Amino acid sequence: RNETSCTIVIFGATGDLAKRKLFPSIYNLFAKGELGPNFAVIGAARRNWSHETLRENVKKSLDESKTEINEDHLDDFLAHFHYISLDVTSKESYQNLNRLINDLEGEFNIPCNRMFYLAMAPQFFGPIASYLKSEGLTNETGWNRLMIEKPFGHDLPSARQLNNEIREAFREDEIYRIDHYLGKEMVQNIEVIRFANAIFEPLWNNRHISNIQITSSETLGVEERGGYYDKSGALRDMVQNHMLQMVALLAMEPPIRLTTEEIRSEKIKALRALRPVSGDQVDEYFVRGQYGPGNVKGNEVPGYRSEPNVDPDSNTETFVAGKLLIDNFRWAGVPFYIRTGKRMAEKSTKIAIQFKEMPMNLYYKTDEDVHPNLLVIHIQPEEGISLILNGEKLDLSGQTTPVKLDYAHTSTDKLNTPEAYEKLLNDAIKGDATNFTHWDEVALSWKYVDEIFNAWQQKKAAQFPNYEAGSLGPKESEHLLAQDGFHWWPLD
Ligand code: BG6
């Protein structure tokens, strides 16, 4: 069943994701020999393209994404791509698609292994899955897998309904729900840092850690996605998936084995231990923000309410900060602070693990002399870790000064780390679902987030905008930590 020769069908092949991420990732897998000679890629979408148009677009996407191409095998690579024009709501379309798959399986000598990648608007996920089954596209002797993009519903009931629809056609172990953060090198490295280093794991608990801070800030606004984003907001766009996945990886117990099932089951347990935030507590634990006009990295930018396809009175949050508590033996009493937002000062994803003070610090004279030990995991744009220790100040004062041990590099240009999508595609082709989200994780995350969302809905409109573009978010996000005696560690 781990046979990797397969046909990849991309629904939405004329779209942005295929162009920016999928085609370059497939090329890189091909160039590294991961795909073997027996594979085909079918681009499916509404437009009336020919095979040739698709191939030209694939080539263009490789050029635009600055993928390193080996001209010697480019034509061979492109020959694996085929296009079919398809109406996702018509039975006949699926019958035509099935014929094309069968033909290509013959031509390229591919076993009946089929990967269906849904890079489409979410309202089509359910219907596509059900047609794939009813028209016999999943009815073959090899494996069938469904890769599905976000958003997976917009709350727990809609996610459950979507899940029921796709489960009619695919088993849980055939469904690969993408959270592209799980494809990032340093997100995958959280487990390695924790479970392969004797100097961290013994300290990884409430006896030694005072708090954990996870920041994912962006400088971009909503760009051309105002229509989607205005109905979503930062809580559902970023917290429900990426931020809670990072919390789960940081908080989970060591798995007994490095298998998909064991790792996921530990993550699920961590998410089950999240303390729910009830409606009357929401202001104590969560802060929402929306950007007004401002200056981001030297450019004047408009406020969120003036962005295209955004309601001029929009009450949608573009920033969230929160304090999460995990009620289990390891984490009782340790706040996990998260914050994420658009149009902030930096594009940066970082995790700071702050260790507790020494019981008796002999060097303590003034507050400035004590710097807690920090482990910082840099996820992007740099990748790596830094450890902040205390050393002696070299000025005869006998005081201490923070010393930074740094192991970080710029992700895109220095070391050639594969793109998240390349890793995720490769995993799915190999049948490894570890870095995809299980339904239970999705459901628990929605349950947590829904309560906060509902509490906000019931309150009177927020006082938006409440942070300037190019800043670090509303000042209330500082208060969230200050009330516990902490502050956010800087992003640089
Ligand atoms: C996506 C969100 O899931 O993640 C976007 O829908 C956001 O709004 C993006 O910009 C951030 O991803 P990254 O990899 O740039 O941090």
Side-chain angles (χ1 to χ4, degrees):
R1 288 195 53 82
N2 278 333
E3 177 61 69
T4 55
S5 288
C6 62
T7 305
I8 303 170
V9 183
I10 302 175
F11 290 85
T14 54
D16 198 47
L17 184 81
K19 184 173 92 190
R20 281 187 308 113
K21 304 285 186 190
L22 304 182
F23 298 150
S25 300
I26 294 173
Y27 175 78
N28 286 333
L29 291 176
F30 171 80
K32 290 176 186 164
E34 297 287 350
L35 288 178
N38 310 107
F39 77 97
V41 181
I42 299 179
R46 206 162 20 181
R47 270 180 238 178
N48 233 334
W49 280 8
S50 63
H51 299 320
E52 219 23 67
T53 324
L54 174 69
R55 290 172 195 161
E56 279 159 20
N57 275 276
V58 172
K59 184 160 179 327
K60 217 160 86 202
S61 108
L62 300 182
D63 290 338
E64 283 168 13
S65 61
K66 304 204 170 59
T67 306
E68 254 179 64
I69 304 173
N70 175 347
E71 294 289 340
D72 294 348
H73 63 210
L74 186 62
D75 287 341
D76 176 25
F77 172 70
L78 293 173
H80 292 261
F81 281 76
H82 294 73
Y83 185 80
I84 187 163
S85 162
L86 159 143
D87 169 0
V88 288
T89 59
S90 121
K91 236 181 171 165
E92 292 70 44
S93 281
Y94 293 86
Q95 294 162 357
N96 295 338
L97 174 60
N98 204 10
R99 271 193 292 276
L100 178 60
I101 300 177
N102 282 321
D103 290 349
L104 294 178
E105 284 172 347
E107 182 181 334
F108 291 98
N109 192 17
I110 309 170
C112 300
N113 294 330
R114 297 172 173 190
M115 171 81 74
F116 301 102
Y117 195 118
L118 308 191
M120 299 277 297
Q123 70 264 30
F124 299 120
F125 295 165
I128 295 175
S130 99
Y131 275 122
L132 289 175
K133 173 156 181 166
S134 69
E135 301 318 303
L137 283 83
T138 59
N139 245 341
E140 300 292 333
T141 45
W143 50 251
N144 300 294
R145 290 180 193 143
L146 184 73
M147 281 183 89
I148 189 164
E149 276 294 330
K150 63 171 282 206
F152 201 89
H154 55 267
D155 57 8
L156 181 55
S158 60
R160 188 173 279 142
Q161 188 189 338
L162 168 60
N163 199 50
N164 290 342
E165 283 168 19
I166 60 178
R167 285 294 304 275
E168 293 282 316
F170 293 87
R171 296 190 310 263
E172 174 63 31
D173 66 353
E174 294 175 323
I175 303 170
Y176 290 71
R177 297 179 195 81
I178 295 168
D179 183 313
H180 79 282
Y181 268 55
L182 297 182
K184 292 186 192 282
E185 180 66 32
M186 288 308 297
V187 173
Q188 298 192 353
N189 235 310
I190 294 173
E191 280 173 53
V192 183
I193 294 167
R194 290 191 52 195
F195 305 132
N197 287 297
I199 60 166
F200 295 132
E201 189 49 31
L203 305 182
W204 211 264
N205 55 52
N206 52 10
R207 287 186 296 285
H208 301 286
I209 290 179
S210 74
N211 73 89
I212 292 184
Q213 305 178 6
I214 310 173
T215 300
S216 191
S217 64
E218 298 185 74
T219 48
L220 291 180
V222 286
E223 312 304 298
E224 65 295 335
R225 294 162 75 224
Y228 150 77
Y229 194 87
D230 205 35
K231 292 197 190 65
S232 169
L235 182 69
R236 299 190 287 182
D237 185 53
M238 291 290 290
V239 176
Q240 184 272 337
N241 38 45
H242 313 319
M243 303 302 280
L244 287 180
Q245 282 294 319
M246 290 190 279
V247 169
L249 289 167
L250 289 161
M252 70 192 248
E253 292 300 311
I256 56 168
R257 261 178 231 103
L258 289 179
T259 59
T260 304
E261 203 182 321
E262 297 300 343
I263 293 173
R264 280 170 157 187
S265 106
E266 295 304 340
K267 286 168 69 192
I268 290 165
K269 261 200 269 170
L271 292 170
R272 284 214 317 254
L274 272 181
R275 186 186 301 175
V277 176
S278 63
D280 54 344
Q281 294 171 322
V282 75
D283 289 340
E284 204 183 316
Y285 287 87
F286 273 81
V287 171
R288 55 181 160 158
Q290 187 194 76
Y291 62 86
N295 187 303
V296 183
K297 301 241 165 237
N299 298 316
E300 294 300 325
V301 299
Y304 176 71
R305 288 177 176 173
S306 320
E307 301 274 17
N309 299 320
V310 166
D311 177 354
D313 299 318
S314 175
N315 208 29
T316 300
E317 81 288 353
T318 59
F319 173 97
V320 178
K323 166 176 165 179
L324 287 68
L325 293 172
I326 297 179
D327 288 326
N328 65 17
F329 205 78
R330 185 185 287 266
W331 293 115
V334 181
F336 282 64
Y337 301 106
I338 58 169
R339 70 178 158 168
T340 181
K342 297 219 180 268
R343 285 282 191 237
M344 291 176 63
E346 297 289 340
K347 167 77 180 167
S348 170
T349 305
K350 272 194 182 42
I351 299 168
I353 293 121
Q354 178 175 344
F355 292 89
K356 288 191 171 166
E357 303 296 338
M358 304 279 287
M360 188 181 86
N361 191 327
L362 298 170
Y363 299 93
Y364 180 86
K365 293 195 185 88
T366 69
D367 270 350
E368 272 176 30
D369 300 331
V370 214
H371 196 289
N373 292 137
L374 292 179
L375 171 66
V376 182
I377 304 178
H378 307 260
I379 291 168
Q380 59 188 14
E382 320 79 33
E383 298 181 332
I385 55 174
S386 13
L387 189 58
I388 299 178
L389 307 170
N390 284 301
E392 188 178 35
K393 223 178 193 173
L394 301 175
D395 64 355
L396 306 179
S397 66
Q399 290 171 326
T400 61
T401 186
V403 180
K404 193 169 172 190
L405 301 186
D406 229 353
Y407 172 69
H409 57 83
T410 315
S411 57
T412 39
D413 34 54
K414 295 238 179 74
L415 292 186
N416 195 10
T417 45
E419 262 271 17
Y421 274 92
E422 183 187 327
K423 287 183 175 225
L424 294 176
L425 261 171
N426 195 30
D427 283 357
I429 291 170
K430 297 211 156 89
D432 181 351
T434 313
N435 291 315
F436 295 84
T437 43
H438 186 274
W439 163 245
D440 291 349
E441 297 170 67
V442 175
L444 287 162
S445 305
W446 275 125
K447 189 162 166 235
Y448 183 78
V449 153
D450 279 357
E451 284 206 58
I452 297 156
F453 183 77
N454 294 337
W456 282 345
Q457 289 295 92
Q458 276 155 25
K459 288 184 180 290
K460 60 178 183 354
Q463 298 287 312
F464 286 161
N466 61 350
Y467 72 99
E468 216 181 297
S471 71
L472 287 175
K475 58 184 181 324
E476 289 77 10
S477 117
E478 304 292 335
H479 299 165
L480 197 65
L481 277 71
Q483 65 193 6
D484 298 334
F486 302 125
H487 60 81
W488 291 105
W489 292 102
L491 295 178
D492 53 12

